[in-house]
């Protein structure tokens, strides 16, 4: 049903684009304020931008004043089930924040709101929060309106759990969303953002085998390897280049650093050992475990080198099943400046080959925010759209 609707919609949209005059009105109504303008043809951009509420992107928030642990599953942030139309996506961290109201519950936010929310709700450190958010916003957000969605709309059709519709936001495959996720399938197999019980069962199995019934960095190293091997063996389009080489390893540390209760950190035997009931709560229910305390100190991807060292692999992609070819052109975990240059000069430039006006201005402002947050290392800055 969804497929048919989407196909019909696409056909309609294409037809209307061809019928020049009419399309102005229709495109305007179809275009959401949080949808990315990346990859659209210049004539569409020219029509859509004037209809948007353009904002000057504000400077992103710095670190909060209080950076210790505290109760975050509090009465000002009650968990609520999804409503019709609420957007959720591939990130269990952001899904949970939206379901507790740290982010707007509809799943549409500004970059500043996302940075504030991950700092407040999890004690994510300011640099990781800022870099991650601006990478996502530049690829998948609307840089004119300064809005980003955390995934796709859900549609309630009955008593069943809501199912995603309308593609968008950070679920856009090949941008931030990528292959070999721990609990989500690869886009090649259809759904790339919904919780997958079979894959979660594998996480549980690995936690039992390598973590004594907990998810920890040892489990992360083995599960990361397993998921990559599974994708190499089954997904002809598997990609682990550039950003994905970094996020694939980084994301496996977040459950250890940010989903474990902050009070566990004071005890060496429980530090960094995530219970499987807590894992289920975040990944599946998008909900803090009852009475959850955020991390004890500002945290991010600490331990990523442990996960990588367990089974190192170079960035690359499949050219057909079981044919993994190394490709370092967009940088990697060990080449952050290569990543920065490739991201700006190839990825973003590819999405926005020739921006003008407010679009160009806001791209430059967001690229500057990203650059400022990235250093160190002090990579040479690149200016694909000139200087403002
Ligand atoms: C700072 C803003 C953030 C953005 C823009 C973001 C975005 C994303 C995206 C796009 C993915 C999907 C990548 C993939 O295909 O696997 C993802 C995965 C993930 N994110 Fe986030 N994220 C953010 C913060 C967080 C935080 C604060 C946490 C934890 C508290 C978190 C935990 C995770 C985990 C565990 C995954 C991996 C899911 C899996 O492999 O099944 N993220 N995130
Ligand atoms: C991601 O999944 C959605 C929903 O299943 C699908 O519509 C979309 O095409 C997928 N992305 C890609 C490029 O495979
Ligand atoms: C979940 O993942 C498994 C293993 O990759 C796959 O066989 C299955 O089709 C997926 N289920 C859904 C509902 O997508
Ligand atoms: C993970 O748990 C296993 C089993 O208790 C333990 O042997 C291993 O050292 C732990 N790894 C880390 C990094 O805590
Ligand atoms: C990035 O692109 C700009 C303009 O397109 C070009 O002048 C510059 O040499 C490129 N930088 C690198 C390091 O590739």
């Amino acid at each position: 049903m969804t497929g048919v609707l989407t196909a019909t919609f696409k056909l309609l949209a294409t037809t209307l684009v061809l019928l020049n005059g009419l399309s102005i009105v229709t495109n305007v109504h179809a275009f959401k304020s949080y949808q990315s303008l990346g990859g659209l043809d210049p004539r569409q951009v020219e029509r859509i931008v004037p209809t948007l509420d353009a904002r000057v992107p504000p400077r992103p928030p710095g670190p909060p004043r209080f950076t210790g642990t505290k109760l975050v599953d509090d009465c000002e942030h009650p968990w609520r089930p999804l409503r019709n139309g609420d957007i959720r996506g591939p990130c269990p961290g952001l899904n949970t924040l939206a379901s507790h109201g740290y982010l707007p519950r509809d799943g549409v936010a500004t970059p500043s709101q996302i940075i504030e929310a991950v700092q407040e709700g999890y004690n994510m450190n300011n640099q990781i929060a800022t870099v991650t958010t601006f990478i996502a916003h530049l690829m998948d957000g609307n840089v004119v309106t300064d809005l980003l969605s955390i995934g796709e709309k859900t549609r309630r059709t009955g008593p069943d759990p809501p199912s995603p519709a309308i593609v968008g936001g950070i679920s856009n495959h090949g941008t931030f969303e990528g292959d070999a996720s721990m609990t989500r399938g690869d886009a090649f197999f259809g759904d790339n953002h919904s919780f997958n019980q079979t894959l979660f069962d594998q996480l549980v199995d690995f936690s039992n085998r390598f973590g004594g019934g907990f998810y920890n960095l040892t489990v992360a190293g083995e599960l990361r390897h397993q998921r990559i091997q599974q994708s190499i063996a089954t997904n002809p389009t598997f990609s682990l280049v550039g950003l994905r080489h970094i996020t694939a390893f980084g994301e496996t540390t977040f459950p250890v650093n940010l989903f474990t209760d902050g009070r566990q950190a004071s005890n060496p035997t429980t530090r960094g050992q995530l219970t499987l009931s807590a894992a289920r709560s975040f990944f599946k229910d998008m909900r803090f475990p009852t009475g959850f305390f955020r991390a004890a100190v500002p945290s991010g991807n600490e331990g990523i080198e442990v996960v990588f060292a367990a089974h190192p692999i170079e960035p690359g992609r499949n050219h057909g099943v079981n044919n993994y070819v190394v490709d370092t052109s967009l940088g990697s975990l060990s080449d952050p400046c290569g990543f920065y240059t490739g991201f700006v000069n190839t990825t973003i430039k590819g999405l926005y080959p020739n921006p003008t006006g407010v679009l160009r201005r806001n791209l430059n402002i967001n690229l500057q925010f990203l650059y400022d947050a990235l250093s160190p290392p002090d990579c040479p800055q690149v200016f694909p759209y000139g200087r403002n």
Side-chain angles (χ1 to χ4, degrees), residues 212-386:
F214 297 89
Y215 178 97
N216 66 20
L217 286 178
T218 308
V219 176
E222 296 310 314
L223 185 59
R224 176 32 66 234
H225 176 67
Q226 166 81 353
R227 290 294 295 135
I228 289 172
Q229 294 310 311
Q230 284 173 332
S231 286
I232 289 176
T234 58
N235 177 354
T237 66
F238 173 58
S239 172
L240 192 68
V241 298
L243 177 66
R244 189 60 188 148
H245 190 255
I246 301 170
T247 60
F249 290 94
E251 283 158 15
T252 66
T253 69
F254 291 165
V256 171
N257 301 325
L258 300 167
F259 288 165
T260 55
D261 193 284
R263 291 165 298 180
Q264 286 179 228
S266 54
N267 180 344
T269 62
T270 56
R271 185 186 304 146
Q273 315 295 317
L274 180 68
T275 67
L276 291 173
S277 65
R280 188 174 297 105
S281 185
F282 285 106
F283 278 103
K284 183 175 186 180
D285 303 332
M286 315 183 202
R287 185 172 193 164
F288 288 137
T290 305
F292 181 71
F293 276 53
R294 71 180 193 186
V297 292
S299 306
N301 60 6
E302 293 79 8
I304 189 171
E305 70 289 347
V306 175
V307 178
F308 185 73
H311 299 278
I313 180 169
E314 295 216 68
R317 64 173 93 245
N318 257 1
H319 294 234
V321 158
N322 272 322
N323 185 21
Y324 186 76
V325 180
V326 170
D327 175 353
T328 57
S329 64
L330 292 175
S332 70
L333 205 52
S334 57
D335 178 16
C337 288
F339 157 69
Y340 164 73
T341 309
F343 178 77
V344 176
N345 254 14
T346 305
T347 309
I348 297 302
K349 180 93 173 149
L351 288 171
Y352 300 97
N354 209 1
T356 58
V358 70
L359 179 58
R360 172 178 167 277
R361 179 196 72 187
N362 283 9
L363 280 168
N364 273 344
I365 293 173
N366 281 294
L367 285 168
Q368 187 66 46
F369 291 156
L370 174 66
Y371 183 77
D372 291 343
L374 264 177
S375 37
D378 293 306
C379 311
Q381 190 168 3
V382 288
F383 297 94
Y385 310 123

Side-chain angles (χ1 to χ4, degrees), residues 32-263:
K32 300 275 188 281
S33 58
Y34 51 81
Q35 238 173 293
S36 173
L37 294 158
L40 297 183
D41 91 60
R43 288 168 61 206
Q44 284 175 291
V45 174
E46 220 171 279
R47 277 193 210 109
I48 294 165
V49 169
T51 71
L52 298 173
D53 181 10
R55 296 284 160 92
V56 180
R59 186 172 296 285
R65 242 170 278 136
F66 175 66
T67 58
T69 186
K70 65 172 180 177
L71 177 74
V72 288
D73 182 32
D74 59 15
C75 30
E76 280 110 80
H77 301 95
W79 182 85
R80 294 212 190 110
L82 294 178
R83 301 160 307 184
N84 198 12
D86 283 350
I87 294 174
R88 297 294 181 270
C91 176
L94 298 181
N95 289 346
T96 300
L97 290 175
S99 288
H100 279 275
Y102 281 93
L103 283 172
R105 291 180 187 268
D106 65 1
V108 177
T110 67
S112 292
Q113 284 177 317
I114 293 179
I115 294 165
E116 302 265 16
V118 299
Q119 291 183 163
E120 180 65 15
Y122 294 111
N123 211 0
M124 187 179 237
N125 84 49
N126 183 251
Q127 184 183 23
I128 298 263
T130 310
V131 169
T132 310
T133 299
F134 280 100
I135 286 172
H137 185 52
L138 278 158
M139 284 194 295
D140 296 324
N142 187 307
V143 296
V144 170
T145 61
D146 203 40
L147 291 171
L148 170 63
S149 94
I150 65 170
E152 314 201 358
K153 265 197 201 272
T154 55
R155 190 180 291 170
R156 268 199 188 285
T157 47
D160 296 338
S163 61
I166 306 178
V167 178
I170 62 170
S171 296
N172 285 334
H173 179 67
T175 53
F176 194 129
E177 194 283 324
D179 292 329
S181 303
M182 294 182 289
T183 67
R184 270 74 178 159
D186 289 2
F188 177 77
F189 302 111
D191 187 347
N192 46 51
H193 53 268
S194 299
F195 175 82
N196 179 313
Q197 184 66 51
T198 312
L199 292 175
F200 186 77
D201 290 345
Q202 177 170 254
L203 183 151
V204 168
D205 177 46
F206 272 59
S207 300
N208 286 326
R209 280 160 60 196
F210 300 102
F214 297 89
Y215 178 97
N216 66 20
L217 286 178
T218 308
V219 176
E222 296 310 314
L223 185 59
R224 176 32 66 234
H225 176 67
Q226 166 81 353
R227 290 294 295 135
I228 289 172
Q229 294 310 311
Q230 284 173 332
S231 286
I232 289 176
T234 58
N235 177 354
T237 66
F238 173 58
S239 172
L240 192 68
V241 298
L243 177 66
R244 189 60 188 148
H245 190 255
I246 301 170
T247 60
F249 290 94
E251 283 158 15
T252 66
T253 69
F254 291 165
V256 171
N257 301 325
L258 300 167
F259 288 165
T260 55
D261 193 284
R263 291 165 298 180

